[in-house]
Amino acid sequence: MIDGSPAHNGFTLVEMLIALLIFGLLAAAGASLLAFSVRAQGVANRKLDDIAALYRFDNVLAGDLAQAMPRTTRDMGGNVRPALEGGNGASFLRLVRGGWDNIDGAARADVQKVEYVLGDDGTVGRIAYPMLDGARPLPPAAMLSRVASVALRYRLRGAWTDNWQGKPGTQLPDAIELTITRSDGTVFREMFAVGTGNPVNAGAINAG
């Protein structure tokens, strides 16, 4: 320097403190944004998985109902059961369906008895029976979770009813309406054709 004073290079303490403050604010904002993005991605993935499970359940149920057959069965006690039974309890649907593939050529029929149940944990399960008459059920396969309740209605000759009792001559309804109430209060109402041979589902309608 001309005046003989020494030269000063770098930042002052105040400037360093301000720079650190700005850096800390930017780092905190970035971390918050990253955490929000991770949480949002997790929620989106759970929603997508839930929607996929609902579609899988719809497709399986539509296939079972399309292949429904007017064939009575016998339970483990030897009692005759209708070809199709429905209710609003834990076991809300039981039916006999055709078209059961037999890839291994096992000694069994190509028709199968299946049952849909709602567990205490809110999971809808599909139970298959190895034989039509007198056989113990296989373990349930989980299809849909977070279900609070299930209700069925049945259409026969243009009229709807809340109860179904399979009788000779009227062993199968023309269609079934399924109402699913999820644990978060969301309601889905769906309609399925019965015994057509082709899976037909009118689709899920979000009524809640």
Side-chain angles (χ1 to χ4, degrees), residues 117-130:
V117 297
L118 176 59
D120 294 335
D121 60 350
T123 299
V124 171
R126 180 181 184 269
I127 298 175
Y129 288 77

Side-chain angles (χ1 to χ4, degrees), residues 9-46:
N9 296 320
F11 298 99
T12 65
L13 178 59
V14 174
E15 291 172 333
M16 287 294 296
L17 292 175
I18 294 175
L20 289 174
L21 176 62
I22 294 175
F23 176 78
L25 293 174
L26 292 176
S32 299
L33 181 60
L34 179 60
F36 173 79
S37 299
V38 171
R39 288 195 300 270
Q41 184 64 40
V43 171
N45 288 338
R46 288 193 294 272

Side-chain angles (χ1 to χ4, degrees), residues 1-11:
M1 302 294 290
I2 297 177
D3 58 1
S5 61
H8 296 281
N9 296 320
F11 298 99

Side-chain angles (χ1 to χ4, degrees), residues 42-114:
V43 171
N45 288 338
R46 288 193 294 272
K47 289 292 185 181
L48 291 175
D49 290 342
D50 192 60
I51 293 173
L54 181 61
Y55 276 112
R56 286 194 298 270
F57 170 70
D58 288 346
N59 290 333
V60 172
L61 181 58
D64 284 343
L65 288 173
Q67 298 288 341
M69 302 179 63
R71 202 278 196 187
T72 59
T73 60
R74 291 183 180 274
D75 58 23
M76 293 178 58
N79 302 307
V80 178
R81 310 299 300 187
L84 187 146
E85 294 180 273
N88 297 325
S91 175
F92 61 88
L93 183 63
R94 184 186 299 113
L95 65 123
V96 174
R97 59 153 295 165
W100 186 16
D101 294 334
N102 193 353
I103 300 176
D104 299 329
R108 61 169 176 80
D110 60 354
V111 293
Q112 184 183 34
K113 181 167 63 174
V114 297

